[in-house]
Amino acid sequence: SETEADEPAANSGVTYEDIGGLDEELELVREMIELPLSEPELFRRLGVEPPSGVLLYGPPGTGKTLIARAVANEVDAHFETISGPEIMSKYKGESEERLREVFETAEANAPTIVFFDEIDSIAGTRDDEGDAENRIVGQLLTLMDGLDARGEVIVIGATNRVDTIDPALRRGGRFDREIQIGVPDEEGRREILEVHTRGMPLADNVDVDGIARRTHGFVGADLDAVASEAAMAAIRDRPTDADDRRDWNRNPTVRKTHFDAALASI
Ligand code: ATP
């Protein structure tokens, strides 16, 4: 069977410290996902069903995958990913089998987070979609309803378009909780920039607050690209003289002009 997407969570190394902004969202994530995974017996004692599915919805590049990886890593849970488009194409004809396998592995390795990226590609409203999607949604519902390790296997579905998700998937006991992951505001952008420049030797004239102010509409993925592009601009800008370059290499700096160049190109 195909297992190249399966990775032990511990290897991802992503922590909550790697997520900028999203404080309130992370609170919800911890309550809805971390708590049932780490203390399922608490829910049982209180006589409530822990969630088996949570939807993260919002524009691309805002940190949905990052959150799923971070929470899995933080609670030392096994991590499985399913890509909606991939299961529809690559596993065409074997999609249901593939889903069953993922859930089997998930239960065997519980606690597990199953991250279902672009879930809308399988879970469009059933009555106006083709037979294939029908069957896959049906299979997913069956698998989620049948989870023995309830609370210890949580499916995080990610989508840009929550309104196109099959209502059956959003009913109680399935993806009955939703967390919106929105475009960051200025403060969020500043925190994201701080994450991505944490390990960077910045010149004193780099004004992270100013960059945050100037990047209205940028999501985390864009800000990540700004930081990488600035570092690349700094490398391109190295002294040409061999001795000077050696000194620079030992003690590199990313300056304001490099961020300006990055912002102009992204
Ligand atoms: P998609 O819908 O395209 O899968 P996504 O919401 O899952 O998007 P991620 O894959 O989590 O987005 O983000 C892509 C990259 O952008 C991350 O690896 C990270 O470098 C950066 N990023 C996004 N959001 C944040 C954030 N809130 N804090 C820090 N980095 C972020």
Side-chain angles (χ1 to χ4, degrees), residues 14 17-22 56 58-68 115 117-118 158-160 181-182 184 188 191-193 195-196 219-225:
V14 179
E17 296 294 302
D18 298 314
I19 302 173
L22 301 174
L56 302 182
T62 47
K64 297 182 291 297
T65 310
L66 205 59
I67 288 173
F115 181 67
D117 202 12
E118 297 184 61
T159 179
N160 309 328
I181 309 297
E191 286 179 28
I192 294 169
L193 281 165
V195 167
H196 289 286
V219 296
D222 301 325
L223 296 166
D224 182 2

Side-chain angles (χ1 to χ4, degrees), residues 242-254:
D243 286 344
D244 293 346
R245 177 169 285 204
R246 204 173 324 109
D247 288 344
W248 191 91
N249 285 353
R250 243 181 261 128
N251 208 354
T253 354
V254 185

